[in-house]
Amino acid sequence: MNVTTGATLLFGTIVLLGVTIFAWNLTRTTTYERNLAAFETLSKDSELALTHRIESYRQALDSGAALFTSSDRVVKSDWETFVDILKIEETLPGINGIGYIEQVLRSQESAFLNDLSARGVTGFTVYPRTQWSEILPITYIEPMSTNKEAVGLDIGFEANRRSAAYQARDTGKATITKRIFLVQDKEKSAGFLLLRPVYEKGRPLNSVSQRRAAFRGWVYAPFIASRFMKGLTASQGSNFGITVYDGKSTNESELIFGNESEPNESRPARYSVTKVLPMMGQQWTVAWHSTPEFEANVGTQEPKFVLIGGLALVLAFATLVMFYARREAYVRQEVKNKTQILVDKEREIVTALEVAEAATGAKSKFLANMSHEIRTPMNGVIGFTQLLDDGTLNETQKKYVELISNSGSAMMTLLNDILDISKVDSGAMTIAPEPFDVRHLLNSCVKIFSPNAEEKHLTILVEVDKDLPQWVQVDGFRLRQIVMNLLANAIKFTETGYITISASFTETDKPELAIAVADTGVGIAPDRREAIFEPFIQEDDSTARKHGGSGLGLTISKQLVELMGGEILLESYVGRGSKFTIQIPVERLEQEASKNLIKFPIPPETEYKNGVNAMRILVAEDHDVNQVLIGEMLSRLGYEYELAIDGAEAVAMIRKAEFAENQYDLALMDLQMPYVDGFKATRMVREQGIDAITLPIIALTANAFEQDIERCFEAGMQAHLAKPLAIEALRKTVLDWAA
């Protein structure tokens, strides 16, 4: 072996050995960081589950506070009914119960006990006796079977309980105690009370003194740490252990919870995360540590393989230098490089596919959320605009109100168009053929657009082929959407002349329906005829400035026609007009097919019990703006109403009215409400034997998708009013359904 070969061998061996060690260390570090990131994700999921559980407790207490706020007197049976409706064993895992605590001056204790007896609480004794001038006894607590020891307990006897109660009263916020021992806990393990203050309705609460003056008591929830922490996530116990301390330190004397998977000195956890979490007025230190099972699952031999592979490469390199010299080394490196390029390309393709799929899902979810979130404020804008136009405005004010109303309607039209085109793009749009009367469709569309045509002194002509059958099998809803888009465009882009809408039917090869809309408008240049079917594209920029519109109508129409198995044709001449023709395969039906048409719920034909103004209407709505708007609309129409701020309160008010044999005439039910939504509330009402004749329930919501309407009927509702809400539609619905 010559000097050059020897130098090459020595240098190459040193370099490869160094690279091997570096790669081995890098792989080991990267593996650890990757596993740590995975463990941090598990801890984050656990943290979210923990905060969500305590938040669900708080929301349940909010519902209890609402019960006291809505009633001047809540007796023991009322509280039992409320807790029974909550079904805390199913909906609030880890909670011991829900109760009520009152603040009573010691000088008024005898009167308090007499009043408590009148409310259905017997055998009540306040304990223990303290030196304080006031007592804070637990008045109600359900379920009683597991909490009877707590009844009558004066929580002021102990500093942690007393301090948290006063803090909640003075701040107006739900507050959790520091670590205590519950009297009903035989094992005397760490426990807590979550206290939510209750104030008199209508009293100002801007300062501590005002809150103290308006204070009534606390709705509270006791829970034991071990039950509260149990089963937060599926990974708890198997992939990680969790330890919780009261306060900012990890002092063992402040230990709240520690499961069996805690690390020990002989086997310290390889991965751990520690955080200080704000917890309803207190602070908890939470530590997550990995288990042997998690470490075994994420363990990898990759660093070892890298090291072994590197050493093998050093040996191979030495062998190749001695026998094949540089040529073989060059070939090996080329093969390695080409292979890596292919691997990288494959990874890029896989990543691109994953990104595309995630983007599609995110887009659909975003649009659904945007539909709800836009309709909710637009309900306020359009609704209050209708209320403003009460006949007392001057001409300038009426003009401004009309502009606001038109802008809101235009925005809702654009929102619906965007949702439709998104459905088609994502494949979520479905076609539902049914027996349909095409002649009725044409007449109704002409009737709708006649006022628009008359404003521009245009004539609308209707031509129907005598061979067109009365009934055909087609998706009538989508066909109507297409015809209205074409007719609206014809009127928009025609200044003088007339518009012709015609329908014909042929059966040469297969039954086919053709509908044409022709105008004498501006026409479309040949080089723009394909572009106008693209989203947000119009004939030119001047068209958008002059006539407005989003440019989505023709795009949606073309895609709907293609989904129905047809095509859309265009004939146009600049300055002379345009003709759009849709050709759709259909099935001829006999006249008897009308018997198979879908039937929707029919309003009961009964007389009003007490006259229009005597109707009792219940409104279940959690959004403050919508509460004001619906109330104003009902008041404007001359109706009285009562308000429930969530589904649980609505069910309680309906049950109370049924028990008093003074049921509401109508319920307007929002769908998205905290804790108990409109669907669940309606099912609960129907399960209690209150049918649609006794109490019609109308969905009043920003959820306007077809599947939402179907869910309303399935839950037991009778009709669906979509936001933005028109006062005329509300009036008609009340007259149709309130009996």
Side-chain angles (χ1 to χ4, degrees):
M1 184 171 56
N2 56 37
V3 176
T4 302
T5 302
T8 301
L9 176 61
L10 178 61
F11 178 74
T13 301
I14 293 174
V15 170
L16 287 176
L17 187 59
V19 170
T20 298
I21 295 173
F22 173 78
W24 168 74
N25 187 61
L26 178 62
T27 303
R28 186 179 61 172
T29 302
T30 302
T31 301
Y32 176 84
E33 292 176 349
R34 181 176 65 243
N35 295 341
L36 179 60
F39 183 78
E40 289 175 343
T41 300
L42 293 178
S43 68
K44 184 62 177 179
D45 292 342
S46 176
E47 176 187 344
L48 292 175
L50 188 151
T51 55
H52 177 270
R53 182 166 290 183
I54 196 69
E55 180 63 18
S56 67
Y57 290 4
R58 186 195 63 76
Q59 291 178 357
L61 298 189
D62 287 346
S63 298
L67 176 62
F68 278 92
T69 303
S70 64
S71 175
D72 293 330
R73 185 179 181 85
V74 178
V75 300
K76 187 175 185 294
S77 61
D78 292 337
W79 189 251
E80 292 173 348
T81 300
F82 167 74
V83 177
D84 182 60
I85 291 175
L86 290 183
K87 298 185 183 301
I88 61 176
E89 296 84 357
E90 301 173 6
T91 59
L92 300 173
I95 198 171
N96 267 50
I98 297 181
Y100 182 63
I101 302 172
E102 298 189 40
Q103 178 178 275
V104 182
L105 292 175
R106 190 172 296 279
S107 60
Q108 299 175 357
E109 181 177 356
S110 178
F112 162 73
L113 293 176
N114 291 334
D115 178 67
L116 200 58
S117 177
R119 282 186 273 160
V121 181
T122 58
F124 188 88
T125 303
V126 179
Y127 77 99
R129 309 304 294 182
T130 66
Q131 77 277 18
W132 305 108
S133 61
E134 59 184 11
I135 58 176
L136 311 177
I138 297 175
T139 305
Y140 304 145
I141 179 70
E142 293 293 336
M144 179 66 72
S145 60
T146 56
N147 295 280
K148 59 184 179 180
E149 296 87 347
V151 177
L153 177 69
D154 179 3
I155 68 169
F157 85 96
E158 188 265 331
N160 286 342
R161 291 176 170 87
R162 186 174 64 253
S163 174
Y166 288 155
Q167 180 180 341
R169 179 197 64 187
D170 293 345
T171 62
K173 298 179 180 179
T175 303
I176 198 170
T177 64
K178 295 185 72 64
R179 187 182 64 164
I180 62 173
F181 299 108
L182 302 181
V183 296
Q184 58 266 50
D185 181 17
K186 302 297 188 297
E187 298 179 3
K188 299 304 177 185
S189 56
F192 300 88
L193 302 183
L194 178 59
L195 302 109
R196 197 279 194 192
V198 179
Y199 302 99
E200 295 178 6
K201 184 178 182 180
R203 297 286 295 274
L205 304 173
N206 300 321
S207 64
V208 173
S209 60
Q210 289 178 340
R211 286 190 284 270
R212 290 181 177 178
F215 183 70
R216 291 181 62 181
W218 298 269
V219 178
Y220 89 105
F223 58 94
I224 300 171
S226 58
R227 292 184 60 198
F228 172 77
M229 297 298 299
K230 183 178 180 181
L232 288 175
T233 65
S235 299
Q236 183 172 324
S238 59
N239 288 330
F240 65 85
I242 184 170
T243 308
V244 185
Y245 301 89
D246 192 5
K248 294 183 178 180
S249 68
T250 57
N251 191 330
E252 289 298 324
S253 63
E254 298 296 330
L255 179 66
I256 295 175
F257 174 78
N259 61 20
E260 297 178 355
S261 300
E262 295 184 27
N264 51 60
E265 295 181 358
S266 62
R267 198 209 64 81
R270 185 169 176 78
Y271 309 97
S272 62
V273 176
T274 301
K275 291 184 179 180
V276 177
L277 304 179
M279 196 62 59
M280 298 290 179
Q282 305 294 342
Q283 290 183 317
W284 288 1
T285 299
V286 184
W288 295 269
H289 43 269
S290 60
T291 63
E293 182 178 349
F294 172 83
E295 294 171 9
N297 289 336
V298 300
T300 177
Q301 299 297 321
E302 186 178 350
K304 182 185 295 184
F305 291 152
V306 169
L307 180 60
I308 295 174
L311 294 176
L313 185 61
V314 171
L315 181 60
F317 174 78
T319 303
L320 290 173
V321 168
M322 289 186 294
F323 294 97
Y324 303 104
R326 293 183 179 182
R327 184 172 178 274
E328 291 297 328
Y330 173 78
V331 172
R332 178 179 291 274
Q333 191 62 38
E334 283 297 303
V335 171
K336 182 179 179 181
N337 291 342
K338 296 297 183 182
T339 302
Q340 187 60 45
I341 292 174
L342 291 175
V343 171
D344 292 342
K345 290 295 183 183
E346 182 180 359
R347 289 175 179 171
E348 291 176 3
I349 294 173
V350 172
T351 301
L353 289 174
E354 292 174 350
V355 170
E357 292 173 355
T360 300
K363 176 183 176 183
S364 299
K365 183 176 181 181
F366 169 77
L367 287 172
N369 289 337
M370 284 300 295
S371 172
H372 183 274
E373 296 303 324
I374 292 177
R375 286 177 187 274
T376 296
M378 286 307 299
N379 182 50
V381 173
I382 295 177
F384 283 115
T385 301
Q386 297 177 59
L387 295 176
L388 280 175
D389 192 8
D390 58 356
T392 63
L393 305 178
N394 60 41
E395 291 301 320
T396 300
Q397 292 170 334
K398 288 184 65 177
K399 178 181 178 181
Y400 292 162
V401 169
E402 183 178 356
L403 288 174
I404 296 173
S405 179
N406 291 341
S407 298
S409 298
M411 184 171 183
M412 293 310 303
T413 299
L414 176 59
L415 173 63
N416 291 331
D417 285 347
I418 291 174
L419 291 174
D420 278 345
I421 198 170
S422 174
K423 282 184 179 179
V424 176
D425 290 341
S426 63
M429 180 73 74
T430 58
I431 299 300
E434 61 183 8
F436 194 73
D437 186 346
V438 178
R439 287 183 176 84
H440 178 72
L441 163 69
L442 300 182
N443 291 333
S444 65
C445 289
V446 170
K447 184 177 180 181
I448 291 172
F449 284 100
S450 290
N452 304 74
E454 290 173 0
E455 287 183 4
K456 302 179 72 174
H457 305 289
L458 301 176
T459 300
I460 301 179
L461 305 176
V462 180
E463 299 176 356
V464 179
D465 187 352
K466 61 182 179 61
D467 295 329
L468 178 67
Q470 181 179 359
W471 300 101
V472 296
Q473 187 83 356
V474 69
D475 189 330
F477 178 80
R478 296 303 174 190
L479 181 60
R480 183 176 186 273
Q481 183 178 0
I482 296 167
V483 173
M484 291 188 69
N485 276 341
L486 297 179
L487 198 53
N489 280 348
I491 295 174
K492 181 190 299 184
F493 296 107
T494 302
E495 299 299 330
T496 60
Y498 58 90
I499 294 163
T500 303
I501 180 170
S502 60
S504 61
F505 181 79
T506 59
E507 291 184 288
T508 305
D509 296 326
K510 56 182 179 179
E512 185 176 77
L513 172 67
I515 298 178
V517 177
D519 62 58
T520 58
V522 296
I524 303 169
D527 60 343
R528 300 291 296 171
R529 292 178 186 173
E530 293 186 4
I532 62 171
F533 290 104
E534 298 296 325
F536 305 104
I537 299 297
Q538 296 191 350
E539 207 280 328
D540 56 33
D541 293 341
S542 62
T543 300
R545 290 193 298 271
K546 181 177 180 180
H547 300 284
S550 64
L552 289 175
L554 286 177
T555 303
I556 296 172
S557 298
K558 181 175 184 293
Q559 292 178 339
L560 288 177
V561 169
E562 291 174 350
L563 277 176
M564 298 167 74
E567 61 178 344
I568 184 167
L569 307 177
L570 169 62
E571 300 176 33
S572 184
Y573 301 93
V574 176
R576 293 170 55 188
S578 304
K579 179 180 180 181
F580 290 87
T581 304
I582 60 172
Q583 297 176 343
I584 302 172
V586 297
E587 180 182 347
R588 175 195 287 269
L589 298 177
E590 301 298 330
Q591 291 189 0
E592 289 76 6
S594 61
K595 299 178 182 178
N596 298 324
L597 290 174
I598 296 175
K599 298 295 189 298
F600 292 96
I602 300 175
E605 297 180 358
T606 55
E607 297 180 356
Y608 301 128
K609 291 180 285 192
N610 301 312
V612 172
N613 293 329
M615 293 180 189
R616 297 181 68 242
I617 298 176
L618 174 65
V619 177
E621 171 64 65
D622 66 314
H623 195 280
D624 52 354
V625 174
N626 289 336
Q627 291 173 356
V628 176
L629 173 61
I630 298 170
E632 285 294 323
M633 284 186 170
L634 291 173
S635 298
R636 183 71 57 84
L637 294 172
Y639 304 130
E640 296 183 357
Y641 71 96
E642 296 181 24
L643 178 66
I645 62 173
D646 58 35
E649 185 178 2
V651 174
M653 293 173 69
I654 291 171
R655 290 186 62 181
K656 186 175 181 180
E658 184 72 11
F659 180 77
E661 297 184 354
N662 187 25
Q663 188 55 267
Y664 298 99
D665 297 291
L666 183 69
L668 300 177
M669 185 76 68
D670 188 23
L671 298 187
Q672 290 195 357
M673 292 184 290
Y675 187 64
V676 176
D677 60 26
F679 298 114
K680 184 176 181 180
T682 301
R683 285 192 292 268
M684 293 170 67
V685 170
R686 298 304 184 220
E687 289 170 359
Q688 293 165 11
I690 304 175
D691 58 20
I693 296 177
T694 304
L695 177 64
I697 301 177
I698 310 300
L700 182 62
T701 177
N703 294 350
F705 289 97
E706 295 174 10
Q707 57 266 35
D708 295 317
I709 299 176
E710 293 176 1
R711 288 183 64 196
C712 292
F713 291 132
E714 292 173 357
M717 299 183 186
Q718 280 58 65
H720 178 279
L721 280 176
K723 301 173 184 176
L725 179 64
I727 191 170
E728 179 60 25
L730 179 61
R731 184 193 69 81
K732 185 177 184 303
T733 299
V734 173
L735 291 178
D736 284 345
W737 290 100

